[in-house]
Short mmCIF file of all heavy atoms in Angstrom, two decimals:
data_model
loop_
_atom_site.label_atom_id
_atom_site.label_comp_id
_atom_site.label_asym_id
_atom_site.label_seq_id
_atom_site.Cartn_x
_atom_site.Cartn_y
_atom_site.Cartn_z
N GLY A 1 6.74 0.35 -8.14
CA GLY A 1 7.03 1.57 -7.46
C GLY A 1 5.89 2.49 -7.23
O GLY A 1 6.03 3.52 -6.77
N ILE A 2 4.58 1.87 -7.36
CA ILE A 2 3.38 2.63 -7.09
C ILE A 2 2.80 2.27 -5.83
O ILE A 2 2.45 0.93 -5.63
CB ILE A 2 2.46 2.73 -8.27
CG1 ILE A 2 3.14 3.15 -9.51
CG2 ILE A 2 1.19 3.23 -7.95
CD1 ILE A 2 2.34 2.98 -10.75
N PRO A 3 2.51 3.02 -4.90
CA PRO A 3 1.79 2.59 -3.63
C PRO A 3 0.40 1.77 -3.99
O PRO A 3 -0.33 2.15 -4.72
CB PRO A 3 1.53 3.86 -2.87
CG PRO A 3 2.40 4.93 -3.45
CD PRO A 3 2.59 4.55 -4.86
N PHE A 4 0.21 0.80 -3.06
CA PHE A 4 -1.06 0.00 -3.24
C PHE A 4 -1.59 -0.07 -1.73
O PHE A 4 -1.34 -1.14 -1.19
CB PHE A 4 -0.84 -1.30 -3.84
CG PHE A 4 -1.96 -2.21 -4.00
CD1 PHE A 4 -3.37 -1.60 -4.21
CD2 PHE A 4 -1.78 -3.57 -3.68
CE1 PHE A 4 -4.32 -2.47 -4.31
CE2 PHE A 4 -3.02 -4.41 -3.84
CZ PHE A 4 -4.26 -3.88 -4.13
N PRO A 5 -2.19 1.06 -1.31
CA PRO A 5 -2.78 1.04 0.09
C PRO A 5 -3.63 -0.16 0.42
O PRO A 5 -3.81 -0.38 1.69
CB PRO A 5 -3.49 2.35 0.29
CG PRO A 5 -2.91 3.19 -1.02
CD PRO A 5 -2.55 2.28 -1.93
N GLY A 6 -4.23 -0.73 -0.68
CA GLY A 6 -5.23 -1.84 -0.33
C GLY A 6 -4.47 -3.01 0.26
O GLY A 6 -5.15 -4.03 0.81
N ASN A 7 -3.24 -3.19 0.16
CA ASN A 7 -2.39 -4.23 0.71
C ASN A 7 -1.34 -3.60 1.49
O ASN A 7 -0.85 -2.50 1.27
CB ASN A 7 -1.84 -5.14 -0.47
CG ASN A 7 -2.76 -6.17 -0.94
OD1 ASN A 7 -2.33 -7.06 -1.73
ND2 ASN A 7 -3.98 -6.13 -0.55
N GLY A 8 -0.89 -4.46 2.51
CA GLY A 8 0.26 -4.12 3.34
C GLY A 8 0.38 -4.91 4.57
O GLY A 8 -0.21 -6.06 4.79
N ILE A 9 1.12 -4.37 5.50
CA ILE A 9 1.45 -5.16 6.74
C ILE A 9 1.27 -4.27 7.89
O ILE A 9 1.83 -3.12 8.04
CB ILE A 9 2.88 -5.64 6.89
CG1 ILE A 9 3.20 -6.49 5.56
CG2 ILE A 9 3.15 -6.52 8.14
CD1 ILE A 9 4.76 -6.89 5.45
N ASN A 10 0.43 -4.66 8.90
CA ASN A 10 0.18 -3.90 10.20
C ASN A 10 0.92 -4.54 11.32
O ASN A 10 0.88 -5.85 11.44
CB ASN A 10 -1.31 -3.84 10.49
CG ASN A 10 -2.06 -2.98 9.69
OD1 ASN A 10 -2.10 -1.70 9.70
ND2 ASN A 10 -2.74 -3.51 8.66
N VAL A 11 1.66 -3.84 12.21
CA VAL A 11 2.31 -4.34 13.36
C VAL A 11 2.11 -3.48 14.51
O VAL A 11 2.28 -2.19 14.33
CB VAL A 11 3.87 -4.61 13.06
CG1 VAL A 11 4.56 -5.22 14.18
CG2 VAL A 11 4.08 -5.28 11.73
N THR A 12 1.82 -4.06 15.63
CA THR A 12 1.55 -3.32 16.84
C THR A 12 2.75 -3.80 17.96
O THR A 12 2.95 -5.04 18.04
CB THR A 12 0.31 -3.62 17.42
OG1 THR A 12 -0.83 -3.24 16.48
CG2 THR A 12 -0.01 -2.87 18.82
N VAL A 13 3.23 -2.87 18.55
CA VAL A 13 4.31 -3.02 19.50
C VAL A 13 3.91 -2.66 20.87
O VAL A 13 3.41 -1.54 21.16
CB VAL A 13 5.65 -2.25 19.12
CG1 VAL A 13 6.85 -2.59 20.19
CG2 VAL A 13 6.12 -2.85 17.82
N ASP A 14 4.00 -3.63 21.84
CA ASP A 14 3.87 -3.34 23.26
C ASP A 14 5.22 -2.78 23.72
O ASP A 14 6.21 -3.40 23.96
CB ASP A 14 3.52 -4.58 23.98
CG ASP A 14 3.39 -4.29 25.55
OD1 ASP A 14 3.80 -3.23 26.01
OD2 ASP A 14 2.54 -5.08 26.15
N ALA A 15 5.31 -1.44 23.82
CA ALA A 15 6.57 -0.83 24.13
C ALA A 15 6.89 -0.79 25.60
O ALA A 15 8.12 -0.59 25.87
CB ALA A 15 6.44 0.77 23.70
N VAL A 16 6.03 -1.26 26.42
CA VAL A 16 6.28 -1.44 27.87
C VAL A 16 7.09 -2.90 27.94
O VAL A 16 8.19 -2.91 28.57
CB VAL A 16 5.00 -1.50 28.63
CG1 VAL A 16 5.35 -1.83 30.04
CG2 VAL A 16 4.43 -0.09 28.68
N ALA A 17 6.54 -3.91 27.39
CA ALA A 17 7.19 -5.19 27.48
C ALA A 17 8.26 -5.36 26.44
O ALA A 17 8.96 -6.42 26.50
CB ALA A 17 5.99 -6.35 27.22
N GLY A 18 8.20 -4.48 25.30
CA GLY A 18 9.36 -4.69 24.35
C GLY A 18 9.11 -5.77 23.49
O GLY A 18 10.09 -6.47 23.01
N ARG A 19 7.76 -6.06 23.04
CA ARG A 19 7.54 -7.18 22.13
C ARG A 19 6.36 -6.76 21.15
O ARG A 19 5.60 -5.78 21.39
CB ARG A 19 7.13 -8.44 22.98
CG ARG A 19 5.83 -8.17 23.75
CD ARG A 19 5.21 -9.43 24.38
NE ARG A 19 3.90 -9.09 25.00
CZ ARG A 19 3.07 -10.07 25.36
NH1 ARG A 19 3.46 -11.48 25.20
NH2 ARG A 19 1.95 -9.73 25.83
N ILE A 20 6.34 -7.60 20.05
CA ILE A 20 5.22 -7.48 19.04
C ILE A 20 4.07 -8.21 19.55
O ILE A 20 4.09 -9.38 19.86
CB ILE A 20 5.78 -7.91 17.66
CG1 ILE A 20 6.90 -7.03 17.23
CG2 ILE A 20 4.63 -7.94 16.62
CD1 ILE A 20 7.60 -7.57 15.87
N THR A 21 2.93 -7.56 19.42
CA THR A 21 1.62 -8.21 19.98
C THR A 21 0.72 -8.45 18.89
O THR A 21 -0.20 -9.18 19.05
CB THR A 21 0.98 -7.31 20.99
OG1 THR A 21 0.67 -5.92 20.49
CG2 THR A 21 1.96 -7.27 22.36
N ASN A 22 0.90 -7.81 17.71
CA ASN A 22 -0.06 -7.92 16.63
C ASN A 22 0.62 -7.78 15.29
O ASN A 22 1.44 -6.90 15.13
CB ASN A 22 -1.23 -6.96 16.57
CG ASN A 22 -2.14 -7.13 15.64
OD1 ASN A 22 -1.94 -6.45 14.46
ND2 ASN A 22 -3.32 -7.87 15.77
N TYR A 23 0.44 -8.71 14.35
CA TYR A 23 0.93 -8.66 13.09
C TYR A 23 -0.03 -9.18 12.13
O TYR A 23 -0.69 -10.19 12.44
CB TYR A 23 2.23 -9.61 13.04
CG TYR A 23 2.59 -10.25 11.59
CD1 TYR A 23 3.17 -9.36 10.66
CD2 TYR A 23 2.27 -11.52 11.43
CE1 TYR A 23 3.46 -9.86 9.47
CE2 TYR A 23 2.53 -12.00 10.09
CZ TYR A 23 3.18 -11.20 9.11
OH TYR A 23 3.44 -11.77 7.89
N ASN A 24 -0.26 -8.43 11.01
CA ASN A 24 -1.20 -8.82 9.98
C ASN A 24 -0.81 -8.48 8.63
O ASN A 24 -0.48 -7.41 8.27
CB ASN A 24 -2.67 -8.02 10.30
CG ASN A 24 -3.68 -8.49 9.44
OD1 ASN A 24 -4.19 -9.52 9.35
ND2 ASN A 24 -4.09 -7.39 8.63
N LEU A 25 -0.78 -9.53 7.82
CA LEU A 25 -0.48 -9.41 6.43
C LEU A 25 -1.67 -9.35 5.59
O LEU A 25 -2.52 -10.24 5.63
CB LEU A 25 0.57 -10.57 6.04
CG LEU A 25 0.81 -10.64 4.55
CD1 LEU A 25 1.73 -9.47 4.16
CD2 LEU A 25 1.55 -11.94 4.22
N ASN A 26 -1.87 -8.48 4.81
CA ASN A 26 -2.95 -8.36 3.85
C ASN A 26 -2.39 -8.16 2.48
O ASN A 26 -1.80 -7.10 1.98
CB ASN A 26 -3.74 -7.02 4.15
CG ASN A 26 -4.96 -6.83 3.24
OD1 ASN A 26 -5.32 -7.87 2.50
ND2 ASN A 26 -5.56 -5.65 3.14
N TRP A 27 -2.36 -9.32 1.82
CA TRP A 27 -1.53 -9.45 0.50
C TRP A 27 -2.28 -10.32 -0.44
O TRP A 27 -2.50 -11.50 -0.29
CB TRP A 27 -0.14 -10.01 0.74
CG TRP A 27 0.80 -9.60 -0.26
CD1 TRP A 27 1.12 -10.10 -1.50
CD2 TRP A 27 1.87 -8.55 0.04
NE1 TRP A 27 2.09 -9.42 -2.05
CE2 TRP A 27 2.60 -8.46 -1.13
CE3 TRP A 27 2.01 -7.67 1.06
CZ2 TRP A 27 3.64 -7.60 -1.25
CZ3 TRP A 27 3.13 -6.88 0.98
CH2 TRP A 27 4.02 -6.73 -0.19
N GLY A 28 -2.77 -9.74 -1.61
CA GLY A 28 -3.52 -10.46 -2.53
C GLY A 28 -2.77 -10.69 -3.89
O GLY A 28 -1.75 -9.99 -4.17
N ASN A 29 -3.27 -11.64 -4.72
CA ASN A 29 -2.64 -11.92 -6.07
C ASN A 29 -3.54 -11.27 -7.03
O ASN A 29 -4.57 -11.71 -7.40
CB ASN A 29 -2.51 -13.31 -6.29
CG ASN A 29 -2.01 -13.68 -7.55
OD1 ASN A 29 -1.17 -12.97 -8.20
ND2 ASN A 29 -2.21 -14.86 -8.15
N PHE A 30 -3.21 -9.95 -7.63
CA PHE A 30 -4.00 -9.23 -8.47
C PHE A 30 -3.27 -9.04 -9.78
O PHE A 30 -2.08 -9.15 -9.79
CB PHE A 30 -4.37 -7.88 -7.91
CG PHE A 30 -5.04 -8.23 -6.59
CD1 PHE A 30 -4.40 -7.94 -5.29
CD2 PHE A 30 -6.45 -8.62 -6.38
CE1 PHE A 30 -5.00 -8.03 -4.06
CE2 PHE A 30 -6.98 -8.85 -5.16
CZ PHE A 30 -6.40 -8.48 -4.01
N ASP A 31 -3.96 -8.63 -10.74
CA ASP A 31 -3.32 -8.14 -12.11
C ASP A 31 -3.35 -6.63 -12.00
O ASP A 31 -4.39 -5.95 -11.80
CB ASP A 31 -4.22 -8.62 -13.05
CG ASP A 31 -4.35 -10.23 -13.27
OD1 ASP A 31 -3.22 -10.81 -12.99
OD2 ASP A 31 -5.27 -10.64 -13.79
N PHE A 32 -2.04 -6.13 -12.06
CA PHE A 32 -1.96 -4.67 -11.88
C PHE A 32 -1.75 -4.15 -13.28
O PHE A 32 -0.71 -4.42 -14.01
CB PHE A 32 -0.73 -4.40 -11.05
CG PHE A 32 -1.01 -4.77 -9.53
CD1 PHE A 32 -0.60 -6.07 -9.11
CD2 PHE A 32 -1.51 -3.83 -8.65
CE1 PHE A 32 -0.82 -6.42 -7.82
CE2 PHE A 32 -1.72 -4.22 -7.31
CZ PHE A 32 -1.40 -5.45 -6.91
N PRO A 33 -2.47 -3.03 -13.67
CA PRO A 33 -2.32 -2.46 -15.02
C PRO A 33 -0.97 -1.72 -15.05
O PRO A 33 -0.54 -1.12 -13.93
CB PRO A 33 -3.44 -1.56 -15.02
CG PRO A 33 -3.84 -1.28 -13.64
CD PRO A 33 -3.59 -2.56 -12.90
N ALA A 34 -0.43 -1.63 -16.16
CA ALA A 34 0.99 -0.77 -16.33
C ALA A 34 0.54 0.71 -16.19
O ALA A 34 -0.55 1.13 -16.56
CB ALA A 34 1.63 -1.17 -17.63
N ALA A 35 1.50 1.52 -15.73
CA ALA A 35 1.31 2.84 -15.67
C ALA A 35 1.60 3.54 -17.00
O ALA A 35 2.49 4.31 -17.17
CB ALA A 35 2.18 3.47 -14.52
N ALA A 36 0.80 3.09 -18.02
CA ALA A 36 0.94 3.66 -19.40
C ALA A 36 -0.28 4.48 -19.77
O ALA A 36 -1.39 4.15 -19.26
CB ALA A 36 1.21 2.49 -20.30
N LYS A 37 -0.13 5.45 -20.63
CA LYS A 37 -1.21 6.35 -21.01
C LYS A 37 -1.99 6.91 -19.85
O LYS A 37 -3.29 7.02 -19.94
CB LYS A 37 -2.09 5.36 -21.93
CG LYS A 37 -1.43 4.98 -23.19
CD LYS A 37 -2.42 4.04 -24.09
CE LYS A 37 -1.72 3.55 -25.30
NZ LYS A 37 -2.46 2.80 -26.18
N ILE A 38 -1.31 7.41 -18.90
CA ILE A 38 -2.01 8.00 -17.82
C ILE A 38 -1.71 9.55 -17.89
O ILE A 38 -0.69 9.92 -18.53
CB ILE A 38 -1.58 7.49 -16.41
CG1 ILE A 38 -0.04 7.68 -16.14
CG2 ILE A 38 -1.85 5.94 -16.38
CD1 ILE A 38 0.33 7.40 -14.78
N ILE A 39 -2.59 10.30 -17.33
CA ILE A 39 -2.32 11.71 -17.26
C ILE A 39 -1.09 12.03 -16.29
O ILE A 39 -1.10 11.30 -15.33
CB ILE A 39 -3.63 12.46 -16.95
CG1 ILE A 39 -4.11 12.09 -15.45
CG2 ILE A 39 -4.60 12.43 -18.00
CD1 ILE A 39 -5.32 12.89 -15.10
N ASP A 40 -0.51 13.06 -16.39
CA ASP A 40 0.73 13.27 -15.57
C ASP A 40 0.25 13.90 -14.23
O ASP A 40 -0.97 14.35 -14.22
CB ASP A 40 1.84 14.09 -16.14
CG ASP A 40 1.32 15.47 -16.74
OD1 ASP A 40 0.56 16.06 -16.08
OD2 ASP A 40 1.88 15.94 -17.73
N ARG A 41 1.03 14.12 -13.32
CA ARG A 41 0.60 14.70 -12.08
C ARG A 41 0.08 16.06 -12.16
O ARG A 41 -0.88 16.51 -11.52
CB ARG A 41 1.82 14.66 -11.04
CG ARG A 41 1.35 14.91 -9.57
CD ARG A 41 2.58 14.72 -8.63
NE ARG A 41 3.20 13.50 -8.80
CZ ARG A 41 2.86 12.26 -8.20
NH1 ARG A 41 1.72 12.28 -7.39
NH2 ARG A 41 3.39 11.16 -8.32
N GLN A 42 0.77 16.80 -13.15
CA GLN A 42 0.39 18.18 -13.21
C GLN A 42 -1.20 18.38 -13.76
O GLN A 42 -1.88 19.18 -13.34
CB GLN A 42 1.28 18.98 -14.14
CG GLN A 42 0.85 20.40 -14.32
CD GLN A 42 1.91 21.20 -15.18
OE1 GLN A 42 3.02 20.71 -15.52
NE2 GLN A 42 1.53 22.43 -15.62
N GLN A 43 -1.43 17.36 -14.75
CA GLN A 43 -2.71 17.43 -15.39
C GLN A 43 -3.73 16.92 -14.20
O GLN A 43 -4.88 17.35 -14.18
CB GLN A 43 -2.83 16.38 -16.46
CG GLN A 43 -2.00 16.97 -17.81
CD GLN A 43 -1.96 15.85 -18.88
OE1 GLN A 43 -1.45 14.77 -18.77
NE2 GLN A 43 -2.75 16.05 -19.99
N ALA A 44 -3.29 15.96 -13.39
CA ALA A 44 -4.25 15.47 -12.41
C ALA A 44 -4.59 16.55 -11.39
O ALA A 44 -5.65 16.69 -11.03
CB ALA A 44 -3.53 14.31 -11.70
N VAL A 45 -3.53 17.39 -11.13
CA VAL A 45 -3.91 18.42 -10.15
C VAL A 45 -4.79 19.47 -10.85
O VAL A 45 -5.78 19.95 -10.14
CB VAL A 45 -2.56 19.21 -9.73
CG1 VAL A 45 -2.80 20.41 -8.96
CG2 VAL A 45 -1.70 18.16 -8.82
N GLU A 46 -4.48 19.76 -12.05
CA GLU A 46 -5.30 20.83 -12.78
C GLU A 46 -6.79 20.31 -12.82
O GLU A 46 -7.78 21.09 -12.58
CB GLU A 46 -4.86 20.93 -14.18
CG GLU A 46 -3.56 21.79 -14.12
CD GLU A 46 -3.65 23.22 -13.71
OE1 GLU A 46 -4.66 23.82 -13.86
OE2 GLU A 46 -2.68 23.68 -12.97
N THR A 47 -7.03 19.11 -13.20
CA THR A 47 -8.38 18.38 -13.17
C THR A 47 -9.07 18.31 -11.80
O THR A 47 -10.19 18.76 -11.86
CB THR A 47 -8.28 17.11 -13.76
OG1 THR A 47 -7.70 16.99 -15.06
CG2 THR A 47 -9.63 16.44 -13.97
#
């Protein structure tokens, strides 16, 4: 449920021809740490 901007999917549409002209998948196999023992959003803003 946490965004990972380092990975994702890019798609480009040729809106004149009505077709997809570019598709790129950037997806890796990584070990993701659990969201435990982190400061909350309010603490993050204050810091």
Side-chain angles (χ1 to χ4, degrees):
I2 298 172
F4 179 38
N7 276 188
I9 306 174
N10 289 281
V11 185
T12 302
V13 175
D14 181 339
V16 176
R19 62 171 186 164
I20 294 173
T21 57
N22 179 274
Y23 154 75
N24 181 62
L25 173 71
N26 178 19
W27 207 279
N29 180 24
F30 306 106
D31 295 327
F32 293 90
K37 298 182 180 179
I38 63 173
I39 60 178
D40 60 33
R41 193 177 305 276
Q42 182 178 351
Q43 290 176 296
V45 170
E46 292 296 324
T47 302

